Amino acid sequence: MTKHSAFSAEDAAPAQPARRFTSYPPASCRTAAAQAATGSWLDAAARRAEHDDWMEKHPSALAEFEAVLGAAKGKQVVMFLDYDGTLSPIVKDPDSAVMTDEMREAVRGVAERFPTAIVSGRCRDKVFDFVRLAELYYAGSHGMDIKGPTAQSKHAKAKVCRALTASTAAIPGATVENNKFCLSVHFRCVQEEKWRALEDLVRSVLKDYPDLHLTKGRKVLEIRPSIKWDKGNALQFLLEAQGFADSNNVFPIYIGDDRTDEDAFKVLRSMGQGIGILVSKIPKETSASYSLQEPSEVKEFLHKLVKSKQRD
Ligand SMILES: O=P(O)(O)OC[C@H]1O[C@H](O[C@H]2O[C@H](CO)[C@@H](O)[C@H](O)[C@H]2O)[C@H](O)[C@@H](O)[C@@H]1O
């Protein structure tokens, strides 16, 4: 199997051997320096081994593209794409997480050939504003915007949004994002020493709202209604809505980077159909079968898929 070539530079073993000192530092420091260098080299080697092991279990969807195509042969590919960290890079300001025009064209190309859905934690309108492609299905608020909760829960959420905004104002850098049926409390710009305090504040606000629960994403606390409705349900709902319920001839491909995407990966595993692709540079516990390192590889994968359709 092809191993990942783009192993990150900071993980690589030091290029230089231990330096030679003439008079300074003294022998004891030399030993300490040599031990530190050996230690960090061993750490790097262990990290590389862990990464290689993970790549054996979750090979690159690009390197194994022909195998993916082989598995999809004769079946209807249905594409599911997470937004943040999959189609757009992770950035500090959630409102600036735009996708590039090249990525938009790649998604458009796929959507012209395969039924395609965006499944995001963001509210549907916001993710649509970023993607701006009319020909797609959109599932916002972790899929809740397909099967919307009641007006009463929306009202409760507006209240909790105000309460969270007020109570987290004391933590510099914390921001609250209203995702219509869900809320996000961002801490990417909060000093690490304050993370615990922020979580405690959020949890204390949520005590008054037993119908809401908290999950964690990439430097984000996500608050959602405690109903069994996640990206996995959204995937099943969208397959049914597109007429693929109980079909053996469907090959869903779900690409995502975060914990909430795991619900969709698990659904695919239990269906025994299609594949999940995790977008990650580092080894992570996942139910996805394949991996891609970053959004630029997602774009390349989408381009390959479009080309494969032209080959048919
Ligand atoms: O399901 P997704 O489309 O991946 O949405 C999950 C959350 O994504 C956004 O937050 C993440 O991306 C931000 C912009 O790059 C980054 O600043 C933040 O740290 C990440 O967690 C979005 O803002 C959240 O509302 C979504 O829940």
Side-chain angles (χ1 to χ4, degrees):
M1 183 193 316
T2 315
K3 292 275 185 293
H4 248 278
S5 52
F7 198 64
S8 70
E10 66 262 28
D11 291 332
Q16 309 260 341
R19 273 172 60 200
R20 275 222 196 138
F21 297 102
T22 46
S23 50
Y24 279 95
S28 58
C29 291
R30 285 212 299 274
T31 312
Q35 275 171 354
T38 310
S40 75
W41 188 87
L42 285 174
D43 282 353
R47 277 200 300 275
R48 258 202 311 279
E50 187 196 0
H51 185 266
D52 288 353
D53 184 46
W54 189 79
M55 289 302 297
E56 292 275 352
K57 294 188 186 117
H58 309 284
S60 162
L62 281 175
E64 298 291 317
F65 189 75
E66 292 304 321
V68 171
L69 272 194
K73 200 168 172 58
K75 298 185 176 174
Q76 170 66 61
V77 168
V78 183
M79 178 61 74
F80 295 89
L81 297 161
D82 166 55
Y83 184 73
D84 289 280
T86 297
L87 297 181
S88 71
I90 292 290
V91 291
K92 271 191 182 171
D93 172 15
D95 289 339
S96 307
V98 291
M99 66 195 258
T100 62
D101 287 341
E102 292 80 24
M103 182 65 96
R104 185 169 296 100
E105 284 318 302
V107 175
R108 191 201 304 278
V110 163
E112 277 167 5
R113 290 155 182 93
F114 312 100
T116 300
I118 307 287
V119 186
S120 173
R122 303 246 194 186
C123 85
R124 190 151 57 97
D125 299 346
K126 199 170 206 176
V127 87
F128 179 81
D129 283 349
F130 280 131
V131 178
R132 298 198 310 268
L133 291 171
E135 51 272 51
L136 308 184
Y137 291 82
Y138 290 86
S141 307
H142 300 285
M144 283 174 216
D145 222 350
I146 311 173
K147 199 172 181 154
T150 61
Q152 193 191 355
S153 75
K154 270 196 245 175
H155 175 69
K157 206 218 53 186
K159 249 175 90 186
V160 76
C161 184
R162 281 196 298 274
L164 282 171
T165 307
S167 82
T168 58
I171 310 257
T175 53
V176 180
E177 185 184 13
N178 188 337
N179 288 334
K180 204 165 175 179
F181 299 112
C182 318
L183 294 163
S184 294
V185 178
H186 291 276
F187 58 94
R188 187 168 292 280
C189 299
V190 172
Q191 280 183 331
E192 196 166 346
E193 307 85 79
K194 300 265 167 62
W195 290 358
R196 182 75 229 184
L198 179 69
E199 185 176 336
D200 290 348
L201 274 177
V202 170
R203 286 195 187 279
S204 77
V205 170
L206 291 190
K207 273 194 197 126
D208 295 335
Y209 300 90
D211 292 347
L212 298 176
H213 80 282
L214 185 139
T215 55
K216 293 180 190 173
R218 295 177 69 173
K219 302 223 168 55
V220 67
L221 302 171
E222 293 174 319
I223 293 122
R224 343 190 214 160
S226 308
I227 56 171
K228 176 67 194 101
W229 190 261
D230 54 36
K231 288 182 173 182
N233 300 98
L235 182 147
Q236 282 173 315
F237 181 88
L238 283 164
L239 282 175
E240 279 169 30
Q242 293 170 68
F244 297 119
D246 306 321
S247 166
N248 288 326
N249 284 331
V250 63
F251 192 84
I253 301 178
Y254 186 106
I255 312 183
D257 72 315
D258 212 345
R259 289 184 212 181
T260 54
D261 301 306
E262 291 297 329
D263 296 318
F265 297 150
K266 280 186 199 133
V267 165
L268 290 179
R269 275 213 184 252
S270 69
M271 283 169 66
Q273 278 170 294
I275 52 163
I277 304 178
L278 176 71
V279 184
S280 179
K281 283 188 174 172
I282 54 163
K284 275 185 191 171
E285 190 62 42
T286 181
S287 297
S289 347
Y290 289 91
S291 63
L292 289 168
Q293 292 223 355
E294 56 191 3
S296 64
E297 286 201 356
V298 173
K299 189 175 68 183
E300 205 181 325
F301 180 85
L302 299 180
H303 278 313
K304 272 176 164 284
L305 206 56
V306 167
K307 277 204 194 124
S308 76
K309 188 70 176 175
Q310 285 159 352
R311 267 176 10 201
D312 281 355

